[in-house]
Amino acid sequence: MARTLIGRIKSYYDNLSKSDQAISDYLIANIDSAAMLSIQDFSKATHVSTATISRFSKKIGFNSFQELKLAIHATDAGGTDEFFSELSPTDNYKEILTKNFNGNISSLSSTLNLVTEHQLNQTMELLLNAETCGFFGLGGSNAVALIAYHKFLRMPLNTVYHQDFHFQQMQAAKLTSKDCAFVISHTGKNKDTMHLLEILKERGVPVIAITSFASSPLAKAADVALISISEEISFRPEAVASTVSQISLLDALFMMYGMRMKDDSKNTISNIRQVIRDSRLS
């Protein structure tokens, strides 16, 4: 689907060079016809060298320009999607609901296509070897961190989380190389988030970043970066769809961890369920 490839390009866009941005702009504007162009055609259309185009392909996650072309071909074969149709003042409530849901579906699909088995293996290795896992995020990302913390409380893993930035700094300072941390940020370049990352890295804590921008400072500095793809449309910031994908990513990691730690998790889950049952009115 077109949005999957465009979403990938946009996740790298802000930190690309002007030449690479020119290639990106051309691809986004001409995604339907780009599959027919040779690397020389690309060079003429964008006024950059063929070597720059080859390097660009690798910067956005492809092994070569030919692999990028195959992705464009697949995009072309898939046809035009309507997942991110713009909202209209004439839309009825069901149409707005449908477009909203379809936007989230497309974000999930794009994110699924971008996350690799290797990244998941790296993430699980850090989680399975950690004594304590911290969940860090500010603003809207703090809500995502809370949801992840709430899930992992059910596992036989020490977990830490706090809503307040100053408390998060103290928690980060207590973690060590024997632990791990999730740092969540839509942009990956929030100043306070990067300060938390700095504290964690100084302590030698392995960091798993969850962000929407693959070339952001957070993604580059993390030990593993899981990228959530989203697209901005009128009246609805891209961070909303990104949040859905980030929560789904963390939910999947929770299930992976639970499966690997199934025997050790049984007592913890049973005890928590009993406490919750006891708190309910009969």
Side-chain angles (χ1 to χ4, degrees):
M1 288 167 54
R3 297 292 180 180
T4 300
L5 181 56
I6 291 173
R8 176 186 288 213
I9 293 169
K10 287 188 174 182
S11 75
Y12 289 88
Y13 190 89
D14 285 350
N15 291 296
L16 294 174
S17 67
K18 289 185 177 180
S19 295
D20 289 334
Q21 287 182 349
I23 300 169
S24 299
D25 292 338
Y26 183 82
L27 271 175
I28 292 169
N30 299 277
I31 196 71
D32 293 332
S33 59
M36 306 301 296
L37 302 180
S38 67
I39 193 169
Q40 289 77 19
D41 294 328
F42 266 94
S43 178
K44 290 179 182 178
T46 57
H47 307 290
V48 299
S49 68
T50 55
T52 299
I53 295 170
S54 293
R55 287 192 295 269
F56 166 81
S57 303
K58 294 178 180 178
K59 286 179 183 177
I60 64 168
F62 296 98
N63 292 321
S64 65
F65 173 74
Q66 288 304 318
E67 189 173 293
L68 171 59
K69 277 199 69 175
L70 287 174
I72 299 171
H73 273 294
T75 293
D76 187 52
T80 302
D81 65 82
E82 300 296 331
F83 276 159
F84 282 108
S85 301
E86 290 284 353
L87 297 179
S88 167
T90 61
D91 288 343
N92 62 37
Y93 295 140
K94 185 59 180 289
E95 287 171 335
I96 294 172
L97 177 68
T98 300
K99 289 180 179 181
N100 183 278
F101 272 48
N102 282 337
N104 290 335
I105 291 168
S106 187
S107 176
L108 287 166
S109 178
S110 298
T111 300
L112 177 63
N113 289 330
L114 196 58
V115 175
T116 67
E117 180 71 15
H118 177 63
Q119 290 172 325
L120 295 174
N121 284 331
Q122 287 179 301
T123 301
M124 290 310 301
E125 184 176 354
L126 294 179
L127 272 173
L128 291 166
N129 290 320
E131 294 180 359
T132 299
C133 181
F135 297 90
F136 300 91
L138 303 172
S141 296
N142 188 269
V144 179
L146 172 58
I147 291 171
Y149 170 69
H150 178 256
K151 286 185 173 294
F152 276 90
L153 271 176
R154 296 166 170 81
M155 293 291 105
L157 172 69
N158 293 323
T159 52
V160 295
Y161 158 85
H162 204 282
Q163 184 177 13
D164 184 82
F165 170 60
H166 298 286
F167 279 81
Q168 288 189 51
Q169 291 180 87
M170 290 186 281
Q171 288 176 333
K174 290 182 67 176
L175 296 179
T176 72
S177 59
K178 295 180 181 180
D179 306 316
C180 73
F182 282 94
V183 179
I184 305 160
S185 171
H186 172 59
T187 64
K189 55 184 180 182
N190 176 276
K191 183 178 179 181
D192 289 339
T193 300
M194 294 308 296
H195 179 61
L196 289 170
L197 178 70
E198 183 180 337
I199 295 171
L200 292 166
K201 298 306 288 185
E202 285 177 353
R203 300 284 299 159
V205 182
V207 172
I208 305 157
I210 297 185
T211 179
S212 297
F213 295 90
S215 55
S216 65
L218 173 60
K220 289 181 176 180
D223 295 273
V224 185
L226 303 176
I227 308 302
S228 55
I229 299 297
S230 60
E231 179 86 356
E232 185 169 359
I233 65 172
S234 299
F235 309 113
R236 183 174 185 268
E238 59 183 341
V240 175
S242 176
T243 297
V244 173
S245 292
Q246 290 172 358
I247 292 172
S248 299
L249 264 174
L250 286 158
D251 186 49
L253 292 172
F254 162 73
M255 290 188 287
M256 293 173 202
Y257 185 90
M259 291 300 295
R260 289 291 302 273
M261 300 294 290
K262 189 174 181 179
D263 293 337
D264 295 332
S265 301
K266 287 179 180 178
N267 287 337
T268 305
I269 293 172
S270 177
N271 291 338
I272 289 173
R273 284 178 176 170
Q274 184 59 50
V275 169
I276 293 173
R277 276 196 297 268
D278 291 345
S279 69
R280 292 173 180 157
L281 295 174
S282 58

